[in-house]
Amino acid sequence: MLLAVVVVFFVVKNTPFVQALLGNWDFVKSVDNERGSYYRLKVRLVYNGDLQSFDIVVACDVRQVNYMDGARTLEVGLTPTVFGRRMADGKAIVVRPPRACRGETTENGGVPVDLLPLIVVFDDAETLAFGAAYLTDDAFDSPLSSLKFDGASIESADKAAFDRFRSEQPNLVSRSSYHTASGPVAVKRFGTTAARIPMGIGCFGYARFRLTDAERQRAAELWPTNRPRYWLPSHPGGRDAFSPTFGELMMTDRQYDKPTASYNLLSQTEYGIADFGMPRRNPVEWSGHQRPVAPSYYPDIGGWQALPWPSDPEARALELLSNGPHVGASIDFRGGATRGFAYCRPMPETFPTGVEYPDPAQAPSVRYLNSPATNYVDGVVVSGERNSRPAAIVERDDFIFRQFLIGLSSTRGDV
């Protein structure tokens, strides 16, 4: 079942699996290819008043990696990993299917009835560079939303259905745009050319939590004497004071939410969470599992510093690399109005795209990344060490923002 796989994923995240992803195959003993499988994802949305029904057939390419220490992992590539459609206003809706490669369906109980896939509205259907990701019910219910969610389900499918889907429904997402975001090695591997402007396949943000009584006491002790609204603890011990232990109770910033185990909330900030469907604000009971409650997500504009997005991302990126400013985090909080969203975007340092430098130290991004970075929340400077995109930002002695990056990509996936 999807939730069961979540547990496995977080258990193996510190095994040789991670080493393999990073390109270190010294641990690998053998690789076995298993038979693929297929499933159908149906999603019902309303975009600016118009019904948008998606009927996506996904192929799973499963590979088992066996390691020297006896461990093994399954790598599952989804095709399409993301599926997009152009809207009449020039924007695009992109759906990231959850992973259901073991026969899980809504009908057989392997998928919860309140399944919520990750949905992104990209500003420009031509580039798919910048998008607002709808991560939870909070986003769909927001006055800022252009989308309404009307349910999703997963059914079984076969190769004939997949072939028919591929012939009848062109994917707006191109292989060039999708793979360029992963760098020159990925472009070469998949035999495509680098896109001038890559797709925003990383969705960035910070999850905001209410400090517990004990944490508030620590915050009051560590809060700088000038009492900045947003601040960073000035030493590692201070940062550790806000690191919950496994199972410790945490609270979202929603007023009436109850305390919940830290692993149920923090697991929903992991990169691969889109594989399992996004968390619901009030999840329905499902197969006896304790289901995670949605954190309060907020989007991070990052190095682009502020909205609106640049009309020419490449030109703006090269300008930033040359002249700055170097911005780490730039949380678009708006006093809580943006709860439920993340921003999917490339990073300025990925430009120019598709270039391999014989001497990496000569890449245009080096000076930029080595310069001090300023962090912001709603344009207010975060007080403290000027490091790039800090793991956590404290708000007064009341709340804490914790960094997340959720990916649209899948291991060995394609479009």
Side-chain angles (χ1 to χ4, degrees):
M1 293 183 180
L2 290 176
L3 192 60
V5 180
V6 175
V7 176
V8 174
F9 176 82
F10 295 117
V11 169
V12 303
K13 69 187 288 286
N14 291 316
T15 69
F17 173 61
V18 173
Q19 301 291 333
L21 282 181
L22 295 176
N24 184 351
W25 285 87
D26 292 342
F27 293 98
V28 174
K29 180 179 180 181
S30 63
V31 176
D32 302 322
N33 286 312
E34 299 188 356
R35 292 182 62 186
S37 60
Y38 304 88
Y39 63 93
R40 182 186 300 274
L41 170 68
K42 292 183 175 181
V43 183
R44 296 174 299 281
L45 301 167
V46 177
Y47 177 71
N48 289 334
D50 294 330
L51 178 64
Q52 296 290 333
S53 295
F54 286 80
D55 187 347
I56 305 166
V57 180
V58 181
C60 302
D61 177 22
V62 182
R63 181 172 69 175
Q64 179 176 298
V65 183
N66 306 301
Y67 299 98
M68 300 298 292
D69 65 356
R72 67 180 186 178
T73 58
L74 290 178
E75 298 179 4
V76 183
L78 306 181
T79 304
T81 294
V82 283
F83 182 81
R85 180 184 298 166
R86 184 188 302 270
M87 297 293 104
D89 59 3
K91 296 187 178 184
I93 294 178
V94 171
V95 177
R96 169 49 159 93
R99 192 173 77 192
C101 297
R102 296 296 186 188
E104 309 100 314
T105 67
T106 306
E107 184 178 9
N108 67 22
V111 176
V113 295
D114 61 347
L115 174 68
L116 176 62
L118 176 52
I119 312 291
V120 185
V121 176
F122 282 93
D123 279 14
D124 180 2
E126 292 297 321
T127 65
L128 302 179
F130 299 110
Y134 287 65
L135 302 184
T136 69
D137 301 280
D138 292 319
F140 289 100
D141 293 343
S142 170
L144 302 174
S145 173
S146 58
L147 279 180
K148 295 298 179 186
F149 177 67
D150 192 34
S153 61
I154 287 179
E155 303 173 1
S156 60
D158 54 23
K159 187 177 187 303
F162 176 73
D163 291 341
R164 187 163 53 251
F165 161 73
R166 298 288 276 182
S167 66
E168 295 176 354
Q169 296 193 51
N171 191 351
L172 176 67
V173 183
S174 71
R175 299 183 82 221
S176 175
S177 175
Y178 174 79
H179 290 299
T180 295
S182 298
V185 173
V187 171
K188 280 186 177 179
R189 178 184 173 190
F190 287 92
T192 185
T193 56
R196 174 176 170 265
I197 300 172
M199 180 181 184
I201 64 169
C203 302
F204 296 79
Y206 279 76
R208 185 171 181 254
F209 300 97
R210 192 179 303 275
L211 295 178
T212 64
D213 290 341
E215 288 171 335
R216 291 195 65 182
Q217 183 175 346
R218 294 179 209 135
E221 295 168 355
L222 296 170
W223 200 358
T225 55
N226 61 339
R227 296 296 190 257
R229 177 165 183 176
Y230 304 108
W231 55 281
L232 304 176
S234 58
H235 56 84
R239 292 192 287 273
D240 292 343
F242 300 103
S243 298
T245 59
F246 187 81
E248 185 178 359
L249 294 181
M250 295 181 69
M251 292 183 290
T252 75
D253 69 356
R254 290 186 293 264
Q255 186 174 0
Y256 299 109
D257 276 4
K258 297 178 181 179
T260 188
S262 60
Y263 57 79
N264 261 345
L265 287 171
L266 295 181
S267 65
Q268 304 309 296
T269 61
E270 296 281 353
Y271 183 86
I273 196 62
D275 272 346
F276 315 109
M278 302 309 298
R280 304 304 298 263
R281 189 172 52 210
N282 297 298
V284 301
E285 185 176 346
W286 173 59
S287 300
H289 296 297
Q290 182 183 10
R291 298 184 61 198
V293 175
S296 292
Y297 299 107
Y298 295 94
D300 172 20
I301 306 169
W304 306 99
Q305 190 171 7
L307 294 173
W309 300 119
S311 57
D312 188 339
E314 182 186 39
R316 176 58 176 155
L318 295 178
E319 178 185 16
L320 288 169
L321 295 182
S322 297
N323 306 314
H326 182 195
V327 175
S330 184
I331 303 174
D332 186 11
F333 180 54
R334 303 190 208 181
T338 58
R339 183 191 288 136
F341 292 94
Y343 286 145
C344 306
R345 52 180 173 80
M347 294 180 289
E349 53 265 33
T350 62
F351 293 88
T353 62
V355 180
E356 289 188 273
Y357 297 92
D359 180 1
Q362 299 303 312
S365 60
V366 171
R367 187 174 63 86
Y368 174 80
L369 292 174
N370 287 336
S371 64
T374 306
N375 301 291
Y376 299 90
V377 180
D378 279 347
V380 177
V381 174
V382 177
S383 177
E385 182 182 352
R386 294 182 63 189
N387 58 344
S388 184
R389 201 163 186 262
I393 297 170
V394 186
E395 181 180 354
R396 296 188 297 261
D397 59 350
D398 298 316
F399 299 94
I400 190 165
F401 288 90
R402 294 189 178 277
Q403 175 201 114
F404 69 84
L405 165 58
I406 295 174
L408 297 181
S409 60
S410 71
T411 303
R412 299 173 56 245
D414 206 345
V415 298

